[in-house]
Amino acid sequence: ATSPWSALFARAPELSDAPTLLAWPQEARAALGSEQISSHVHDALFSLEALSGEVVLSLEKLPEALRATLQGPVTFNDLLWARCLFDSRAVSVEIGATDVPDTGQSFPTKIVCLAPEVDHLNHSPFGVCAPPFFDASRRQLVVRLAAKASAGCEVCLCYGALQNWEMLMYYGFCPDVNPHDRLTIDLDLPSGDNAAAVELLLQLHGVPTEHALRPPGPHDVDETEADVITWADLGLLPPQLLRCLRVFLVDDIQSLDLDASPG
């Protein structure tokens, strides 16, 4: 009962209360209206279903006495709960191992793992905590401050350069401010007589058809209007998006000037 793992598992929510998208009812996920999210969740659940079948077959091969220690079958919902727990509480840890034997094999410099107590750290894109690392000499996981913090303020850890849908997928929340959020637009090539010429022009000039729109950062918005930030506040569009649209909409390809000023 004194194990730190006991405390971590004791405070973990039940599957019915898990906030991550994998645990949401299908109707709730569909209500988000995102094909990207639906596809990602579908693939994750399909993979977990396949793993569940493998676990059942593997457990059937265990001696009965050993299987009895599990106190029941390991179901799909058990694995789903474990996946939600790991996704929402795991951290990426730097491994500073120096005494690695030369076996000709490569070893990862980072591992994603559960770390009791570190999972208490909340997320902030501007968190003052440096990424956790393993101190081999002390045999301890260390979290240090990367910047000064005022007395009494909360110290946070940045969970990574994740978009809002990824935050919702893995952690069950969307931050109010996220400099890493973006809206990806994938433009289909136009049909018609000029389709081949349009595709060739895009390739020759290195113009992609996929573009990312980002919301304004916290320093780009008037404080009096900070509570009404929308995607309409993006300001200038990415130059490559403007170039792509020019290729798509031009009437006379011969007169096309990709780098002309807008207007």
Side-chain angles (χ1 to χ4, degrees), residues 1-11 116-117:
T2 59
S3 167
W5 296 106
S6 299
L8 187 150
F9 293 138
R11 63 175 176 266
E117 306 309 325

Side-chain angles (χ1 to χ4, degrees), residues 16-228:
S16 58
D17 298 324
T20 53
L21 280 181
L22 290 182
W24 282 27
Q26 182 176 357
E27 297 79 5
R29 292 195 299 266
L32 294 176
S34 170
E35 292 185 6
Q36 181 185 29
I37 293 177
S38 297
S39 176
H40 196 84
V41 171
H42 174 271
D43 292 346
L45 292 177
F46 183 83
S47 176
L48 200 61
E49 187 71 46
L51 177 61
S52 178
E54 294 175 8
V55 169
V56 170
L57 293 176
S58 298
L59 293 181
E60 289 177 351
K61 299 176 182 178
L62 293 178
E64 184 176 350
L66 184 57
R67 197 162 61 244
T69 62
L70 297 175
Q71 301 181 1
V74 177
T75 66
F76 172 81
N77 280 348
D78 293 328
L79 295 179
L80 179 58
W81 173 84
R83 171 68 187 270
C84 292
L85 171 67
F86 188 85
D87 282 352
S88 62
R89 296 179 182 271
V91 293
S92 178
V93 177
E94 297 271 359
I95 303 296
T98 56
D99 301 328
V100 179
D102 186 9
T103 61
Q105 296 179 333
S106 60
F107 294 88
T109 58
K110 290 183 179 181
I111 60 171
V112 180
C113 61
L114 290 175
E117 306 309 325
V118 178
D119 67 300
H120 280 297
L121 291 171
N122 287 325
H123 165 76
S124 169
F126 315 108
V128 297
C129 289
F133 70 94
F134 181 73
D135 189 326
S137 62
R138 296 160 57 185
R139 306 294 298 173
Q140 291 180 341
L141 182 65
V142 180
V143 181
R144 291 176 175 167
L145 296 185
K148 292 183 178 180
S150 303
C153 74
E154 180 182 13
V155 292
C156 295
L157 179 69
C158 179
Y159 291 177
L162 303 176
Q163 301 177 66
N164 275 357
W165 78 265
E166 293 173 305
M167 285 290 186
L168 190 61
M169 174 78 185
Y170 299 113
Y171 298 102
F173 69 89
C174 287
D176 293 332
V177 176
N178 185 3
H180 307 296
D181 195 26
R182 57 190 179 274
L183 178 65
T184 302
I185 299 177
D186 193 359
L187 302 175
D188 293 330
L189 290 171
S191 58
D193 297 337
N194 290 335
V198 166
E199 184 175 7
L200 180 60
L201 274 174
L202 293 175
Q203 293 176 357
L204 289 176
H205 292 279
V207 179
T209 57
E210 184 174 283
H211 306 271
L213 304 180
R214 296 181 181 274
H219 305 294
D220 301 328
V221 181
D222 189 327
E223 292 184 1
T224 60
E225 301 178 354
D227 58 339
V228 290

